[in-house]
PDB file of all heavy atoms in Angstrom:
ATOM      1  N   VAL A   6     -34.182  -8.178  52.606  1.00 98.00           N
ATOM      2  CA  VAL A   6     -33.967  -9.668  52.682  1.00 98.00           C
ATOM      3  C   VAL A   6     -32.580  -9.862  51.991  1.00 98.00           C
ATOM      4  O   VAL A   6     -32.129  -9.051  51.148  1.00 98.00           O
ATOM      5  CB  VAL A   6     -35.024 -10.427  51.975  1.00 98.00           C
ATOM      6  CG1 VAL A   6     -36.307 -10.381  52.808  1.00 98.00           C
ATOM      7  CG2 VAL A   6     -35.331  -9.964  50.562  1.00 98.00           C
ATOM      8  N   PHE A  38     -36.738  -3.177  50.207  1.00 98.00           N
ATOM      9  CA  PHE A  38     -38.017  -2.664  49.628  1.00 98.00           C
ATOM     10  C   PHE A  38     -38.477  -1.484  50.562  1.00 98.00           C
ATOM     11  O   PHE A  38     -38.402  -1.563  51.790  1.00 98.00           O
ATOM     12  CB  PHE A  38     -38.984  -3.812  49.815  1.00 98.00           C
ATOM     13  CG  PHE A  38     -38.616  -4.958  48.933  1.00 98.00           C
ATOM     14  CD1 PHE A  38     -37.825  -6.042  49.479  1.00 98.00           C
ATOM     15  CD2 PHE A  38     -38.978  -5.126  47.621  1.00 98.00           C
ATOM     16  CE1 PHE A  38     -37.459  -7.148  48.740  1.00 98.00           C
ATOM     17  CE2 PHE A  38     -38.645  -6.262  46.885  1.00 98.00           C
ATOM     18  CZ  PHE A  38     -37.890  -7.203  47.494  1.00 98.00           C
ATOM     19  N   ILE A  52     -42.126 -11.094  54.478  1.00 96.00           N
ATOM     20  CA  ILE A  52     -40.705 -11.399  54.422  1.00 96.00           C
ATOM     21  C   ILE A  52     -40.430 -12.665  53.662  1.00 96.00           C
ATOM     22  O   ILE A  52     -39.498 -12.778  52.879  1.00 96.00           O
ATOM     23  CB  ILE A  52     -40.102 -11.415  55.866  1.00 96.00           C
ATOM     24  CG1 ILE A  52     -40.057  -9.986  56.492  1.00 96.00           C
ATOM     25  CG2 ILE A  52     -38.654 -12.000  55.775  1.00 96.00           C
ATOM     26  CD1 ILE A  52     -39.617 -10.043  57.960  1.00 96.00           C
ATOM     27  N   GLY A  53     -41.189 -13.726  54.029  1.00 96.00           N
ATOM     28  CA  GLY A  53     -41.065 -15.015  53.337  1.00 96.00           C
ATOM     29  C   GLY A  53     -41.170 -14.912  51.793  1.00 96.00           C
ATOM     30  O   GLY A  53     -40.402 -15.558  50.972  1.00 96.00           O
ATOM     31  N   LEU A  54     -42.174 -14.221  51.384  1.00 96.00           N
ATOM     32  CA  LEU A  54     -42.540 -13.984  49.980  1.00 96.00           C
ATOM     33  C   LEU A  54     -41.363 -13.248  49.278  1.00 96.00           C
ATOM     34  O   LEU A  54     -40.829 -13.553  48.293  1.00 96.00           O
ATOM     35  CB  LEU A  54     -43.775 -13.312  49.752  1.00 96.00           C
ATOM     36  CG  LEU A  54     -44.306 -13.213  48.445  1.00 96.00           C
ATOM     37  CD1 LEU A  54     -44.436 -14.576  47.651  1.00 96.00           C
ATOM     38  CD2 LEU A  54     -45.760 -12.590  48.353  1.00 96.00           C
ATOM     39  N   ALA A  55     -40.822 -12.161  50.102  1.00 97.00           N
ATOM     40  CA  ALA A  55     -39.674 -11.357  49.511  1.00 97.00           C
ATOM     41  C   ALA A  55     -38.496 -12.245  49.328  1.00 97.00           C
ATOM     42  O   ALA A  55     -37.731 -12.170  48.346  1.00 97.00           O
ATOM     43  CB  ALA A  55     -39.383 -10.218  50.510  1.00 97.00           C
ATOM     44  N   LYS A  56     -38.206 -13.135  50.337  1.00 98.00           N
ATOM     45  CA  LYS A  56     -36.982 -14.095  50.219  1.00 98.00           C
ATOM     46  C   LYS A  56     -37.228 -14.940  49.000  1.00 98.00           C
ATOM     47  O   LYS A  56     -36.303 -15.189  48.235  1.00 98.00           O
ATOM     48  CB  LYS A  56     -36.810 -14.842  51.544  1.00 98.00           C
ATOM     49  CG  LYS A  56     -36.331 -13.986  52.620  1.00 98.00           C
ATOM     50  CD  LYS A  56     -36.150 -14.873  53.937  1.00 98.00           C
ATOM     51  CE  LYS A  56     -35.222 -16.029  53.729  1.00 98.00           C
ATOM     52  NZ  LYS A  56     -35.052 -16.865  54.862  1.00 98.00           N
ATOM     53  N   ASP A  57     -38.426 -15.452  48.878  1.00 98.00           N
ATOM     54  CA  ASP A  57     -38.658 -16.415  47.772  1.00 98.00           C
ATOM     55  C   ASP A  57     -38.491 -15.712  46.402  1.00 98.00           C
ATOM     56  O   ASP A  57     -37.952 -16.337  45.471  1.00 98.00           O
ATOM     57  CB  ASP A  57     -40.083 -17.041  47.860  1.00 98.00           C
ATOM     58  CG  ASP A  57     -40.225 -18.019  49.058  1.00 98.00           C
ATOM     59  OD1 ASP A  57     -39.203 -18.371  49.633  1.00 98.00           O
ATOM     60  OD2 ASP A  57     -41.385 -18.310  49.382  1.00 98.00           O
ATOM     61  N   VAL A  58     -39.051 -14.495  46.272  1.00 98.00           N
ATOM     62  CA  VAL A  58     -38.938 -13.804  44.968  1.00 98.00           C
ATOM     63  C   VAL A  58     -37.532 -13.379  44.761  1.00 98.00           C
ATOM     64  O   VAL A  58     -37.094 -13.499  43.571  1.00 98.00           O
ATOM     65  CB  VAL A  58     -39.949 -12.580  44.951  1.00 98.00           C
ATOM     66  CG1 VAL A  58     -39.643 -11.703  43.763  1.00 98.00           C
ATOM     67  CG2 VAL A  58     -41.378 -13.081  45.045  1.00 98.00           C
ATOM     68  N   LEU A  59     -36.723 -12.982  45.710  1.00 98.00           N
ATOM     69  CA  LEU A  59     -35.371 -12.689  45.532  1.00 98.00           C
ATOM     70  C   LEU A  59     -34.684 -13.935  45.010  1.00 98.00           C
ATOM     71  O   LEU A  59     -33.913 -13.817  44.028  1.00 98.00           O
ATOM     72  CB  LEU A  59     -34.736 -12.158  46.749  1.00 98.00           C
ATOM     73  CG  LEU A  59     -33.243 -11.848  46.666  1.00 98.00           C
ATOM     74  CD1 LEU A  59     -32.923 -10.791  45.581  1.00 98.00           C
ATOM     75  CD2 LEU A  59     -32.729 -11.364  48.018  1.00 98.00           C
ATOM     76  N   ARG A  60     -34.938 -15.110  45.655  1.00 98.00           N
ATOM     77  CA  ARG A  60     -34.234 -16.288  45.115  1.00 98.00           C
ATOM     78  C   ARG A  60     -34.603 -16.599  43.701  1.00 98.00           C
ATOM     79  O   ARG A  60     -33.804 -17.001  42.870  1.00 98.00           O
ATOM     80  CB  ARG A  60     -34.672 -17.425  46.065  1.00 98.00           C
ATOM     81  CG  ARG A  60     -34.221 -18.844  45.642  1.00 98.00           C
ATOM     82  CD  ARG A  60     -32.797 -19.222  45.541  1.00 98.00           C
ATOM     83  NE  ARG A  60     -31.693 -18.272  45.832  1.00 98.00           N
ATOM     84  CZ  ARG A  60     -30.562 -18.286  44.987  1.00 98.00           C
ATOM     85  NH1 ARG A  60     -30.386 -19.090  43.963  1.00 98.00           N
ATOM     86  NH2 ARG A  60     -29.614 -17.460  45.323  1.00 98.00           N
ATOM     87  N   ALA A  61     -35.924 -16.442  43.394  1.00 98.00           N
ATOM     88  CA  ALA A  61     -36.310 -16.754  41.951  1.00 98.00           C
ATOM     89  C   ALA A  61     -35.712 -15.728  41.023  1.00 98.00           C
ATOM     90  O   ALA A  61     -35.385 -16.122  39.880  1.00 98.00           O
ATOM     91  CB  ALA A  61     -37.895 -16.573  41.958  1.00 98.00           C
ATOM     92  N   VAL A  62     -35.483 -14.456  41.373  1.00 98.00           N
ATOM     93  CA  VAL A  62     -34.825 -13.502  40.533  1.00 98.00           C
ATOM     94  C   VAL A  62     -33.355 -13.854  40.340  1.00 98.00           C
ATOM     95  O   VAL A  62     -32.781 -13.778  39.286  1.00 98.00           O
ATOM     96  CB  VAL A  62     -34.974 -12.080  41.141  1.00 98.00           C
ATOM     97  CG1 VAL A  62     -34.054 -11.056  40.462  1.00 98.00           C
ATOM     98  CG2 VAL A  62     -36.425 -11.568  40.860  1.00 98.00           C
ATOM     99  N   LEU A  63     -32.719 -14.368  41.441  1.00 98.00           N
ATOM    100  CA  LEU A  63     -31.324 -14.655  41.337  1.00 98.00           C
ATOM    101  C   LEU A  63     -30.964 -16.035  40.694  1.00 98.00           C
ATOM    102  O   LEU A  63     -29.904 -16.282  40.184  1.00 98.00           O
ATOM    103  CB  LEU A  63     -30.720 -14.699  42.779  1.00 98.00           C
ATOM    104  CG  LEU A  63     -30.756 -13.372  43.537  1.00 98.00           C
ATOM    105  CD1 LEU A  63     -30.193 -13.522  44.971  1.00 98.00           C
ATOM    106  CD2 LEU A  63     -29.963 -12.279  42.826  1.00 98.00           C
ATOM    107  N   ALA A  64     -31.921 -16.982  40.773  1.00 98.00           N
ATOM    108  CA  ALA A  64     -31.693 -18.379  40.208  1.00 98.00           C
ATOM    109  C   ALA A  64     -31.208 -18.413  38.793  1.00 98.00           C
ATOM    110  O   ALA A  64     -30.214 -19.151  38.543  1.00 98.00           O
ATOM    111  CB  ALA A  64     -32.955 -19.156  40.360  1.00 98.00           C
ATOM    112  N   GLU A  94     -35.583  -6.402  38.000  1.00 97.00           N
ATOM    113  CA  GLU A  94     -36.411  -7.718  38.050  1.00 97.00           C
ATOM    114  C   GLU A  94     -37.299  -7.659  39.212  1.00 97.00           C
ATOM    115  O   GLU A  94     -38.430  -8.118  39.202  1.00 97.00           O
ATOM    116  CB  GLU A  94     -35.407  -8.892  38.111  1.00 97.00           C
ATOM    117  CG  GLU A  94     -34.740  -9.131  36.869  1.00 97.00           C
ATOM    118  CD  GLU A  94     -35.580  -9.571  35.706  1.00 97.00           C
ATOM    119  OE1 GLU A  94     -36.412 -10.403  35.894  1.00 97.00           O
ATOM    120  OE2 GLU A  94     -35.371  -9.108  34.610  1.00 97.00           O
ATOM    121  N   LEU A  95     -36.790  -7.142  40.417  1.00 98.00           N
ATOM    122  CA  LEU A  95     -37.647  -7.138  41.648  1.00 98.00           C
ATOM    123  C   LEU A  95     -38.700  -6.104  41.480  1.00 98.00           C
ATOM    124  O   LEU A  95     -39.855  -6.295  41.929  1.00 98.00           O
ATOM    125  CB  LEU A  95     -36.763  -6.858  42.849  1.00 98.00           C
ATOM    126  CG  LEU A  95     -35.779  -7.822  43.308  1.00 98.00           C
ATOM    127  CD1 LEU A  95     -34.872  -7.340  44.351  1.00 98.00           C
ATOM    128  CD2 LEU A  95     -36.555  -9.075  43.691  1.00 98.00           C
ATOM    129  N   ALA A  98     -41.437  -7.674  39.680  1.00 97.00           N
ATOM    130  CA  ALA A  98     -42.175  -8.553  40.539  1.00 97.00           C
ATOM    131  C   ALA A  98     -43.146  -7.828  41.473  1.00 97.00           C
ATOM    132  O   ALA A  98     -44.288  -8.355  41.655  1.00 97.00           O
ATOM    133  CB  ALA A  98     -41.220  -9.332  41.438  1.00 97.00           C
ATOM    134  N   CYS A  99     -42.853  -6.652  41.817  1.00 96.00           N
ATOM    135  CA  CYS A  99     -43.827  -5.797  42.592  1.00 96.00           C
ATOM    136  C   CYS A  99     -44.906  -5.395  41.683  1.00 96.00           C
ATOM    137  O   CYS A  99     -46.166  -5.576  42.101  1.00 96.00           O
ATOM    138  CB  CYS A  99     -43.150  -4.504  43.152  1.00 96.00           C
ATOM    139  SG  CYS A  99     -42.005  -4.683  44.477  1.00 96.00           S
ATOM    140  N   GLY A 102     -47.452  -8.506  40.733  1.00 94.00           N
ATOM    141  CA  GLY A 102     -48.163  -9.170  41.787  1.00 94.00           C
ATOM    142  C   GLY A 102     -47.392 -10.395  42.417  1.00 94.00           C
ATOM    143  O   GLY A 102     -47.900 -10.964  43.380  1.00 94.00           O
ATOM    144  N   ARG A 103     -46.143 -10.667  41.937  1.00 95.00           N
ATOM    145  CA  ARG A 103     -45.425 -11.793  42.537  1.00 95.00           C
ATOM    146  C   ARG A 103     -45.026 -11.480  44.019  1.00 95.00           C
ATOM    147  O   ARG A 103     -44.703 -12.472  44.734  1.00 95.00           O
ATOM    148  CB  ARG A 103     -44.163 -12.103  41.784  1.00 95.00           C
ATOM    149  CG  ARG A 103     -44.459 -12.781  40.462  1.00 95.00           C
ATOM    150  CD  ARG A 103     -43.208 -13.121  39.683  1.00 95.00           C
ATOM    151  NE  ARG A 103     -42.744 -11.870  38.973  1.00 95.00           N
ATOM    152  CZ  ARG A 103     -41.626 -11.579  38.512  1.00 95.00           C
ATOM    153  NH1 ARG A 103     -40.558 -12.447  38.755  1.00 95.00           N
ATOM    154  NH2 ARG A 103     -41.323 -10.510  37.921  1.00 95.00           N
ATOM    155  N   LEU A 104     -45.071 -10.287  44.418  1.00 94.00           N
ATOM    156  CA  LEU A 104     -44.830  -9.918  45.774  1.00 94.00           C
ATOM    157  C   LEU A 104     -46.144  -9.657  46.583  1.00 94.00           C
ATOM    158  O   LEU A 104     -46.102  -8.947  47.649  1.00 94.00           O
ATOM    159  CB  LEU A 104     -43.874  -8.696  45.887  1.00 94.00           C
ATOM    160  CG  LEU A 104     -42.346  -9.164  45.809  1.00 94.00           C
ATOM    161  CD1 LEU A 104     -41.463  -8.028  45.395  1.00 94.00           C
ATOM    162  CD2 LEU A 104     -41.861  -9.876  47.048  1.00 94.00           C
ATOM    163  N   GLY A 105     -47.183 -10.088  46.046  1.00 92.00           N
ATOM    164  CA  GLY A 105     -48.466  -9.961  46.782  1.00 92.00           C
ATOM    165  C   GLY A 105     -48.962  -8.581  46.720  1.00 92.00           C
ATOM    166  O   GLY A 105     -48.434  -7.715  46.121  1.00 92.00           O
TER     167      GLY A 105
END
Side-chain angles (χ1 to χ4, degrees):
V6 293
F38 300 87
I52 291 173
L54 190 54
K56 286 177 59 177
D57 291 346
V58 169
L59 178 59
R60 171 63 0 218
V62 164
L63 297 177
E94 293 292 317
L95 291 172
C99 285
R103 285 179 280 157
L104 278 159

